[in-house]
Amino acid sequence: MTTGAKRLLDVLSNAGIRFIFGNPGTTEMPIMHALRHFPEIQYVLGLQETAVVAMADGYAKASGRASFVNLHTAGGLGHAMGALLHSRIAKTPMLVTVGQQDTRHSHTDPLLYGDAVTMAASTVKWAREVQHPHQVVPMVRRALEAAETPPLGPTFLSLPINVLTAETTLESAEKSKIDRNFLASGLGELASALAEVPPDKLAVIVSDEVAASDAGSAFVEVADILGARVYGPSWPSEVSFPVSHPLWNGHLPTTAEGIRATLSGVHAVFIVGDNPFISYLYSEGPALPHECRLYQLTGDGNEAGRTYATQLACIGSLKPSLASLKELLLTSPKRNDVAKLRHVALIEQKLRHNALEETVQEQFSDVPIPPFVAAAEVAASLSHNVIVVDEAPATMVHMRSFLERVSINRYFFMRSAILGWGLPAAVGVALASPSTPVVALIGDGSALYAPQALWTAARFKLPVTFVIMNNSEYNILKRYSVSQGYEVGGNSTIPGMELENPFIDYQALAMAFGVPSRRVTHADEVQPAIKTAMQSGLPNLIEIVIRAS
């Protein structure tokens, strides 16, 4: 005989879960006490639930496997809902659990009780409550397997305290061995169709699903054979293609009109992965140009032809299916113009780099630092093994342009556009990537959603450099107001746009959580500050004062 809490930790241990991301309360005490018997599982304390879920999200994205979250009752779940919604949109595999009140008096509406299953249902793949300690092992196993089965995403279990403390028989808690790889059918037809499209009339779009499927190398080989320009999705979670590759043409715009203009002139679009056409602002017309043929390869049958009709969509695991597609393309008639297009792409890439550098030099001495220059100097300070986490709206577009020149390890972005993810996500990314430096670019507004994660970074001595891009305002909203005709000239008079009076002291905030900090006001200070911070191997915060644009 053993307790429900110990059975929970048994199944987690056998599933390879090494971290519990949580913020405990009374209903989680059975788990906290049982952890003494499971030294292989480490508890990662977050000081607020938004930070907890975002840390687990970053860990899952960087590790490529499901993470485990434990929150406290309906109140803790309520605090975490925004972050959990992000994880659903970003298709992050994680099991989120909530300690629930004792079911024997739930009918009396006790303190901290709430219908957690109903609350969570709109933000997860499925939600259940464990009603007996005998159910703990199969339900946790089922939840973890569902989280890692395409389409990936969070799952949810409510764990009543009387289920965790009750005794149950000892049964096998071993993890199931599941091979989720399956080869897509129709690849021969797909290869023939793609081979008939001239490289300069074909656009290839690589989505987040490629990185999530560990299919990046296989995709690069296919892209090289096709010789067509490669684009990323309009709103990515991470970059699935080397941004220094000459065929890389950046991410699609965030409006249907902009996407259509970018793809104008092509005869066919080949999407590898899930939906890349995510709009932010409404614009007239479709994202896909009229009479442009659409082909798709994805492991998620729900995504194929979801918005636009496909000429052919093949459903299968990306890694083996791309490898098979490569062999089929190699037997197709040789595409003599591939080398010529690649040469042109190299020239265009060099011209882009030169233009970027000229603009940097023109603006380098400006004070406050222009966002364009801030992004350039941050990128120039990075070494190839650095991981970048980006939630800085004022510099994100510039940053992606400059990353073309830096062979960084990985790049993660807020897929949902829900602010507050980036700072704590960087902590999870660092936990999943031991000894690898992480640079987190955070907007001054974004940094205030979950700064508690700074304390966790300090507690674990993680090599994260938090870079706060501070323009002392909600700059993205000001720019939006001007673009929509609400305001003229950029100096918005709309209430609630300014982050000053009183001044927010980010250095003091960092120091309060045990993180050393520094404030940078001139462009020539950026590189030395970031390099010194990364070389320390410890968490640091650098505030860069940038110009409002």
Side-chain angles (χ1 to χ4, degrees):
M1 301 292 290
T2 186
T3 65
K6 288 184 178 179
R7 300 308 292 133
L8 168 68
L9 296 174
D10 274 336
V11 68
L12 293 181
S13 179
N14 287 326
I17 298 293
R18 293 297 171 257
F19 296 103
I20 293 178
F21 296 88
N23 185 1
T26 52
T27 52
E28 290 70 53
M29 283 301 99
I31 298 174
M32 307 306 290
H33 288 293
L35 270 171
R36 297 169 180 168
H37 304 284
F38 296 85
E40 69 276 19
I41 300 177
Q42 192 168 12
Y43 192 88
V44 180
L45 176 60
L47 304 183
Q48 204 271 352
E49 288 81 1
T50 296
V52 166
V53 171
M55 283 190 283
D57 185 287
Y59 178 85
K61 286 294 188 184
S63 67
R65 58 188 308 171
S67 55
F68 183 83
V69 179
N70 185 229
L71 306 175
H72 175 52
T73 65
L77 176 60
H79 292 159
M81 288 295 282
L84 189 52
L85 179 60
H86 163 88
S87 297
R88 190 201 72 179
I89 294 171
K91 297 183 178 179
T92 305
M94 62 169 66
L95 169 53
V96 179
T97 58
V98 165
Q100 181 59 283
Q101 263 283 12
D102 194 310
T103 58
R104 291 171 296 186
H105 71 153
S106 61
H107 65 286
T108 68
D109 299 322
L111 199 65
L112 299 175
Y113 177 76
D115 188 351
V117 172
T118 299
M119 285 178 62
S122 64
T123 61
V124 296
K125 291 178 67 175
W126 62 262
R128 300 285 190 278
E129 182 166 274
V130 181
Q131 298 176 340
H132 192 280
H134 293 346
Q135 298 177 351
V136 170
V137 170
M139 290 293 278
V140 172
R141 183 188 290 128
R142 183 185 303 176
L144 288 171
E145 291 168 358
E148 294 183 328
T149 300
L152 306 180
T155 54
F156 177 86
L157 287 175
S158 171
L159 303 173
I161 189 171
N162 54 308
V163 169
L164 295 174
T165 56
E167 290 192 331
T168 181
T169 55
L170 192 63
E171 57 179 304
S172 173
E174 292 183 6
K175 177 179 172 62
S176 300
K177 183 177 180 180
I178 302 175
D179 187 343
R180 294 184 177 86
N181 289 316
F182 63 100
L183 193 66
S185 61
L187 292 175
E189 183 181 350
L190 177 62
S192 297
L194 294 175
E196 291 176 359
V197 184
D200 62 338
K201 298 300 180 183
L202 175 66
V204 181
I205 305 176
V206 55
S207 84
D208 299 331
E209 189 184 335
V210 171
S213 303
D214 190 27
S217 297
F219 174 78
V220 170
E221 292 179 340
V222 169
D224 281 334
I225 295 171
L226 291 173
R229 302 184 189 280
V230 177
Y231 298 88
S234 57
W235 206 263
S237 179
E238 55 184 302
V239 174
S240 298
F241 188 74
V243 293
S244 57
H245 195 289
L247 293 178
W248 175 249
N249 266 249
H251 289 87
L252 295 172
T254 57
T255 65
E257 181 181 34
I259 295 171
R260 186 172 65 251
T262 299
L263 300 177
S264 64
V266 302
H267 296 169
V269 170
F270 176 35
I271 298 172
V272 181
D274 52 7
N275 178 25
F277 303 136
I278 305 298
S279 296
Y280 178 44
L281 301 178
Y282 173 76
S283 59
E284 288 289 341
L288 197 68
H290 183 59
E291 295 184 351
C292 179
R293 301 192 300 276
L294 180 62
Y295 300 92
Q296 188 170 7
L297 175 62
T298 176
D300 184 355
N302 295 313
E303 291 290 346
R306 179 170 181 150
T307 303
Y308 304 103
T310 57
Q311 197 80 8
L312 174 63
C314 299
I315 312 300
S317 301
L318 291 187
K319 195 170 184 178
S321 298
L322 283 167
S324 180
L325 180 62
K326 181 192 89 169
E327 297 303 320
L328 291 166
L329 287 170
L330 287 172
T331 63
S332 300
K334 188 174 181 181
R335 298 155 68 84
N336 297 319
D337 43 359
V338 167
K340 179 180 179 181
L341 184 61
R342 188 184 181 94
H343 178 68
V344 172
L346 278 168
I347 295 174
E348 291 177 347
Q349 183 187 65
K350 186 176 181 179
L351 291 173
R352 286 198 303 272
H353 292 177
N354 291 341
L356 289 171
E357 187 58 36
E358 288 177 6
T359 306
V360 170
Q361 294 306 316
E362 290 171 1
Q363 302 180 13
F364 191 80
S365 299
D366 292 359
V367 178
I369 304 170
F372 183 86
V373 175
E377 291 305 289
V378 170
S381 68
L382 304 179
S383 56
H384 72 279
N385 65 325
V386 172
I387 300 174
V388 174
V389 177
D390 193 352
E391 192 184 317
T395 57
M396 66 183 184
V397 174
H398 307 314
M399 191 67 192
R400 291 175 191 168
S401 297
F402 287 109
L403 288 180
E404 281 193 19
R405 303 185 301 180
V406 184
S407 298
I408 59 166
N409 192 348
R410 298 183 76 176
Y411 172 89
F412 296 96
F413 185 70
M414 52 166 183
R415 171 65 176 78
S416 68
I418 298 173
L419 295 180
W421 164 86
L423 195 154
V427 173
V429 168
L431 285 168
S433 315
S435 303
T436 301
V438 177
V439 172
L441 308 176
I442 313 295
D444 51 342
S446 302
L448 301 175
Y449 282 76
Q452 299 90 343
L454 291 169
W455 182 86
T456 306
R459 181 181 179 87
F460 282 84
K461 297 180 171 62
L462 299 175
V464 184
T465 300
F466 301 96
V467 180
I468 308 298
M469 296 293 185
N470 186 5
N471 52 25
S472 298
E473 64 180 20
Y474 286 141
N475 178 259
I476 193 170
L477 293 181
K478 282 191 172 185
R479 284 185 284 152
Y480 168 79
S481 297
V482 173
S483 68
Q484 297 301 300
Y486 299 137
E487 301 292 323
V488 178
N491 294 319
S492 174
T493 57
I494 299 176
M497 298 292 107
E498 312 299 333
L499 299 181
E500 55 187 10
N501 297 325
F503 165 78
I504 299 173
D505 192 339
Y506 292 95
Q507 290 180 277
L509 179 67
M511 294 299 288
F513 289 116
V515 175
S517 63
R518 177 178 174 181
R519 193 168 195 253
V520 170
T521 57
H522 292 77
D524 58 2
E525 300 172 333
V526 174
Q527 286 196 50
I530 293 179
K531 289 179 179 178
T532 299
M534 288 194 296
Q535 288 168 1
S536 73
L538 295 170
N540 284 267
L541 184 144
I542 298 170
E543 176 191 358
I544 302 178
V545 179
I546 62 173
R547 183 176 68 203
S549 58

